[in-house]
Every structure is written in structure tokens, then in C-alpha cells.
Amino acid sequence: SISSLFHSGSRSSKTFKPKKNIPEGSHQYELLKHAEATLGSGNLRMAVMLPEGEDLNEWVAVNTVDFFNQINMLYGTITDFCTEESCPVMSAGPKYEYHWADGTNIKKPIKCSAPKYIDYLMTWVQDQLDDETLFPSKIGVPFPKNFMSVAKTILKRLFRVYAHIYHQHFDPVIQLQEEAHLNTSFKHFIFFVQEFNLIDRRELAPLQELIEKLTSKDR
């Protein structure tokens, strides 16, 4: 199953940022377990669907935390290859370059190296996930009205880490025998954002060919 992929072997225990845990015994934890169980069946299209009677916000929240953890781990395995020297700009191939802004601390987009950009990005996501007003972990605390737009921004930015890994660091991924792991994680991510229309097609352009290849077998 995917979850055992993520927890097996010492090499995958190196996360880039600390793992974000969903509190055991909580409803969100049950949802995460449900997600892992359906993923185990191997049908990703089914696995991403909203379980009957569940709250969409909560389902998106649980999966967003899970994708953060997956990308955290995947990027953690290749940080040695993603350096100021190897990646002086944050790019996804020659046509796509990203500049960082979070709208609060850094309002005007700044050009920075990929490791710096990804550090900013993952720290920013972490701060959102840790914000109880945005991602309430307590039962009965409602999600804010702007939750979906926050989640969309998080997922849009997490996509960029996948895009950078695929375009700039695929060789080490193959050397580390992480290719199947990366593809499965990304495919799950894409099915999820497609199911709920969470990322604009334009944003997905850097990996369009790969997305078509990974998803065409499962239509």
C-alpha cells in the first residue's frame, strides 16, 4: 500500500520539514485511515472521492496534510542534489520559473534559488496547517469561509515542488529507486485535485505531458 511505501526503510525517514501529524483518535485521523485503506485497493480514482456523508472541507484538509507529508518526504530524499549551485532559480524546465511571495511577509515576488524557494514554500504551508483557525483539529470547530481558497493555494504551491523534482532532479530519483514512489504520489495528487477542481489547468502546464500519461490509463 502507499502508506507502507512512505513508512518503510530508513532512507525515506528523512523529511525536509517535521512531519505534520493528524491527532490519533480524531475524526480526521479516521478519515486518513479510510484514505489509506482505499488507496491500498489500488484504484486511485475511487480513493480520492469524497466518502459518503463526509464534509468536503474536512476531506480536503486531511488530504492536504497528507500530500504535504508525502512531498516533504520525497523532497527530503533529494535535498543533497538541490543546491544553490545546481538550482540557482526555482524552475520546472526551461519555460517555467517561479518567484516567491506569500502576500504577508514577502509581498513583492522575489527571485531565489530552488532550495530557498522550497524552504519558504514548505514553511509557509506548515504555518497554514498549524493554524487552528484555518485547519481546525478539534471536533466541531468549523472551517473558515475562505478554507477552500486557502487549500487551493497550498495545493497549487505543493504542485511546484513535484514539478521541480520531475524536471530538475529525476536522475537522482531513479538512482534512489524512488521513481515508482514519486509517480504514485504525484498520480494520487493529480487525481485528487482533478476530482475537486482544485488547481487551474494553466498551473499544471509544466507537467501536462506526464499528467496525460499517468491519467490516461485510468479513464
Side-chain angles (χ1 to χ4, degrees):
S1 82
I2 290 191
S3 74
S4 63
L5 263 177
F6 288 115
H7 305 303
S8 64
S10 56
R11 68 190 165 82
S12 62
S13 64
K14 181 185 172 197
T15 58
F16 177 55
K17 298 275 172 201
K19 193 170 181 291
K20 170 76 181 163
N21 289 314
I22 289 175
E24 264 186 73
S26 67
H27 183 62
Q28 291 182 12
Y29 190 77
E30 298 304 312
L31 273 179
L32 182 65
K33 287 282 154 267
H34 169 87
E36 285 176 358
T38 49
L39 282 172
S41 73
N43 183 336
L44 287 171
R45 283 261 182 243
M46 292 288 293
V48 297
M49 288 176 180
L50 180 66
E52 195 141 344
E54 293 297 344
D55 174 49
L56 179 61
N57 285 343
E58 197 153 34
W59 182 240
V60 169
V62 165
N63 282 278
T64 300
V65 169
D66 195 35
F67 289 126
F68 169 77
N69 287 333
Q70 289 183 34
I71 292 165
N72 200 355
M73 218 167 264
L74 287 162
Y75 185 68
T77 61
I78 58 117
T79 46
D80 297 347
F81 305 95
C82 186
T83 63
E84 301 282 327
E85 292 71 46
S86 71
C87 305
V89 294
M90 173 63 178
S91 63
K95 293 212 293 272
Y96 300 96
E97 189 179 302
Y98 300 110
H99 297 173
W100 179 254
D102 58 15
T104 43
N105 301 322
I106 300 172
K107 291 195 169 64
K108 219 172 107 104
I110 55 168
K111 195 169 174 163
C112 55
S113 69
K116 191 109 189 92
Y117 185 101
I118 292 170
D119 194 0
Y120 279 134
L121 186 156
M122 295 299 270
T123 304
W124 176 84
V125 173
Q126 221 175 2
D127 290 345
Q128 309 300 303
L129 300 181
D130 288 339
D131 182 343
E132 281 287 330
T133 64
L134 283 176
F135 281 78
S137 61
K138 294 180 184 62
I139 306 265
V141 176
F143 282 84
K145 296 228 183 327
N146 66 333
F147 174 74
M148 267 310 163
S149 68
V150 172
K152 284 177 177 176
T153 306
I154 292 172
L155 293 164
K156 174 180 82 177
R157 290 177 173 174
L158 287 175
F159 168 81
R160 296 170 182 176
V161 185
Y162 282 120
H164 180 72
I165 294 172
Y166 272 113
H167 277 284
Q168 314 300 135
H169 302 295
F170 201 59
D171 289 343
V173 166
I174 291 169
Q175 284 158 23
L176 293 162
Q177 298 176 319
E178 291 268 348
E179 186 184 355
H181 181 168
L182 174 65
N183 285 344
T184 306
S185 173
F186 180 61
K187 190 171 168 179
H188 179 202
F189 179 88
I190 285 302
F191 281 4
F192 190 81
V193 300
Q194 285 178 344
E195 174 73 12
F196 303 106
N197 208 356
L198 297 168
I199 301 182
D200 196 61
R201 266 184 77 89
R202 279 195 318 261
E203 286 285 337
L204 300 173
L207 293 178
Q208 197 48 51
E209 276 171 45
L210 175 69
I211 291 168
E212 277 161 26
K213 202 174 103 192
L214 288 176
T215 57
S216 63
K217 299 186 204 69
D218 292 270
R219 289 240 160 82

